[in-house]
Amino acid sequence: MAMRMGVSGFCCLLFLFLFSLENVHGNPNYREALAKSLLFFQGQRSGRLPKDQQVTWRSNSGLSDGLIAHVDLTGGYYDAGDNVKFNFPMAFTTTMLSWSTLEYGKKMGPQLGNARAAIRWATDYLLKCATATPGKLYVGVGDPNVDHKCWERPEDMDTVRAVYSVSASNPGSDVAGETAAALAAASMVFRKVDPKYAGLLLRTAKKVMQFAMQYRGAYSDSLGPAVCPFYCSYSGYKDELLWGAAWLFRATNDVTYYKMLKSVGDDGGTDLFSWDNKFAGAHVLLARRALLTKDKNFEPFRQEAEDFMCRILPNSPFTTTQYTQGGLMFKMPQSNLQYVTSISFLLTTYAKYMKATEHNFNCGNMVVNPGLLINLAKRQVDYILGVNPIKMSYMVGFGPNFPKRIHHRGSSLPSLASHPQSLGCDGGFQPFFYSANPNPNILVGAIVGGPNQNDGFPDDRSDYSHSEPATYINAAFIGPLAYFAGGYSG
């Protein structure tokens, strides 16, 4: 389920303690957290599962996806706790997994192969969506309004697997721009290890980007209730066009994409980064060039990236970000951790660029060095992993105390092995959904929506805004985890 975005509240200039190292307590095992965070993606797989599948309570599902449109759309990921494949957040998940691997792959150690596998499970599906029918980009499988009335395992799905697409007459610049970004970013991940696959990804990314630019329009307008209110494009599509062009520029170094991103323009300031709003991510990605290659053309993006950081830092004179008493960034009452993980990714990544070039910047009269950004990111990561007032790890299966009743169909229902009979659309509500018992299957590595603004967490399956995991929460967390697992340097 998507969480609508709004304007974050203003914050008093509190929590200066965040920046004194002696108050950043606890050093969770980041390597273990990284391994588990990647394992989570196996629990979200749709399609025919491979022989090396480690999440063994999951089985094959969605094997007829695409049949209704006479195309093969098997594979990909279920976005959260439901059985729908929404390509908009799935493509963002793929872009963030790819960016994490590009920036932090050297720090992933034995997890690098698992990161590539998580990306490839998504890109294999996105390639099908982009190439199955000329002139069409498939953007979703499963009617969310029907699916959300059911509580059944993905293996038992008996709802109509409706197929949704965008085209010249039904445009979707946002979902197409994000798909192009995902394919372009992933092409760089596979460039050395599988050049042929990387070439296919990049060629497809270029075609999808051309389609996004040529036929302008929001996919929410084209598809209506098939994507709204779940993953409506609230921020419009300009951010995805900027993001897609930025990724193609990084992947190709072709000036065509620089001209494209300049032609798209920029809506500037924000204090969010998410599956819906990509401006801050695009600014950091493009600022990399201003810092690392001293390219003056990219100075405006550096300024935007730093303005964003000034809105996030708690003791900045320009902050627009609230923090809980326990020190957690609090952006939205629903699924707040998605913003915490994605913003933490931008903090460590921009700090990495700053370190490489010995760069500092100012928020008014406050000097910001890379250490400030890293300490704030570390505080967020540690909080998620259990260094918080209630000592709750918000990653399932990590630490002694974690959410046991997550809002997730497959996790909350008995596996096929233990209950071979089909449960059907309504079969899971009684006695499973409404039970106070812990979920029978542990979805290891899943990060849930998180605590409320008082640092409290009810651990209630029906409270999806706090207890539902999502692929895009985890995808953004991979980078910071790898950074801290690798020992902070560089």
Side-chain angles (χ1 to χ4, degrees):
M1 282 188 188
M3 308 309 165
R4 178 137 197 189
M5 309 208 295
V7 179
S8 54
F10 283 77
C11 147
C12 300
L13 301 181
L14 298 172
F15 307 116
L16 300 178
F17 71 88
L18 279 174
F19 297 100
S20 63
L21 275 171
E22 62 267 24
N23 283 309
V24 182
H25 295 301
N27 270 300
N29 185 333
Y30 302 116
R31 287 203 172 117
E32 180 195 341
L34 175 63
K36 288 179 171 175
S37 199
L38 284 165
L39 182 63
F40 157 75
F41 288 93
Q42 292 195 20
Q44 296 301 109
R45 282 172 169 171
S46 182
R48 192 172 297 285
L49 302 184
K51 289 188 173 62
D52 63 357
Q53 171 81 7
Q54 291 170 274
V55 181
T56 51
W57 50 266
R58 282 293 325 281
S59 304
N60 298 337
S61 64
L63 297 183
S64 61
D65 282 0
L67 199 63
I68 204 166
H70 310 291
V71 289
D72 171 15
L73 297 178
T74 56
Y77 291 114
Y78 303 115
D79 71 297
D82 51 33
N83 299 329
V84 185
K85 295 192 306 204
F86 292 101
N87 286 31
F88 193 35
M90 197 197 307
F92 175 71
T93 292
T94 312
T95 311
M96 291 309 296
L97 281 171
S98 299
W99 196 1
S100 300
T101 307
L102 291 171
E103 296 290 350
Y104 303 103
K106 288 178 180 157
K107 294 182 182 293
M108 287 181 178
Q111 295 307 319
L112 180 56
N114 292 329
R116 288 190 191 121
I119 294 163
R120 194 163 187 147
W121 194 267
T123 51
D124 282 353
Y125 168 76
L126 293 174
L127 283 170
K128 290 178 184 180
C129 291
T131 59
T133 307
K136 262 189 187 174
L137 174 67
Y138 292 99
V139 299
V141 183
D143 182 332
N145 296 288
V146 175
D147 178 88
H148 287 174
K149 293 190 178 92
C150 301
W151 197 261
E152 61 184 336
R153 300 176 294 207
E155 293 81 2
D156 288 337
M157 275 187 294
D158 51 3
T159 53
V160 175
R161 298 297 281 170
V163 168
Y164 303 98
S165 62
V166 293
S167 60
S169 54
N170 275 301
S173 298
D174 28 36
V175 69
E178 183 59 77
T179 301
L183 296 171
S187 76
M188 298 167 71
V189 171
F190 292 104
R191 193 172 280 169
K192 285 182 181 159
V193 290
D194 191 342
K196 191 177 169 191
Y197 189 63
L200 174 62
L201 290 168
L202 189 56
R203 285 193 304 277
T204 311
K206 289 175 178 178
K207 286 180 190 160
V208 175
M209 192 67 207
Q210 190 179 349
F211 167 79
M213 290 290 289
Q214 193 170 347
Y215 304 106
R216 302 282 179 103
Y219 95 133
S220 318
D221 295 338
S222 295
L223 295 173
V227 295
C228 293
F230 315 101
Y231 291 104
C232 242
S233 184
Y234 296 108
S235 68
Y237 57 78
K238 188 185 273 192
D239 54 320
E240 280 82 23
L241 292 181
L242 183 70
W243 177 241
W247 273 110
L248 274 157
F249 183 62
R250 180 160 171 189
T252 62
N253 222 14
D254 182 338
V255 71
T256 308
Y257 295 107
Y258 173 70
K259 288 177 179 164
M260 187 182 285
L261 64 90
K262 292 300 280 183
S263 77
V264 167
D266 196 329
D267 280 0
T270 175
D271 63 359
L272 283 174
F273 177 46
S274 71
W275 58 262
D276 180 31
N277 191 325
K278 321 288 160 54
F279 282 117
H283 296 152
V284 168
L285 180 65
L286 294 164
R288 173 182 180 270
R289 195 163 174 111
L291 290 178
L292 299 189
T293 66
K294 304 283 185 274
D295 188 331
K296 291 280 185 282
N297 291 314
F298 291 82
E299 278 296 308
F301 300 113
R302 180 188 64 77
Q303 191 57 56
E304 289 283 11
E306 291 170 5
D307 287 350
F308 171 79
M309 301 300 163
C310 293
R311 290 183 170 97
I312 300 302
L313 287 162
N315 49 344
S316 153
F318 306 113
T319 192
T320 56
T321 302
Q322 290 180 327
Y323 287 80
T324 68
Q325 199 163 351
L328 180 71
M329 205 177 282
F330 198 82
K331 285 291 179 187
M332 296 284 157
Q334 289 113 5
S335 193
N336 178 57
L337 290 188
Q338 66 174 301
Y339 308 106
V340 178
T341 61
S342 55
I343 291 170
S344 296
F345 178 94
L346 295 184
L347 289 168
T348 57
T349 303
Y350 199 67
K352 183 173 171 254
Y353 302 158
M354 288 169 70
K355 270 187 168 183
T357 53
E358 298 182 344
H359 175 74
N360 292 339
F361 66 89
N362 287 25
C363 297
N365 57 5
M366 183 179 105
V367 179
V368 179
N369 59 38
L372 282 182
L373 302 185
I374 290 161
N375 288 349
L376 178 56
K378 185 177 186 298
R379 182 72 191 87
Q380 303 310 301
V381 170
D382 290 358
Y383 185 110
I384 290 170
L385 296 179
V387 186
N388 56 54
I390 62 171
K391 296 186 168 49
M392 167 71 78
S393 159
Y394 292 100
M395 179 184 285
V396 174
F398 183 88
N401 187 27
F402 56 83
K404 305 289 197 302
R405 297 165 194 83
I406 67 171
H407 182 94
H408 187 278
R409 287 157 176 76
S411 169
S412 70
L413 298 167
S415 67
L416 277 179
S418 64
H419 190 291
Q421 301 81 10
S422 174
L423 288 164
C425 172
D426 298 326
F429 287 109
Q430 293 288 4
F432 304 108
F433 180 81
Y434 294 113
S435 162
N437 294 332
N439 289 5
N441 305 307
I442 297 177
L443 183 59
V444 172
I447 302 167
V448 296
N452 60 31
Q453 62 197 47
N454 301 314
D455 298 298
F457 182 72
D459 197 10
D460 175 357
R461 196 175 292 116
S462 64
D463 180 8
Y464 66 83
S465 71
H466 297 106
S467 68
E468 188 170 20
T471 54
Y472 42 88
I473 306 180
N474 273 64
F477 206 46
I478 300 297
L481 284 176
Y483 182 68
F484 294 121
Y488 309 33
S489 57

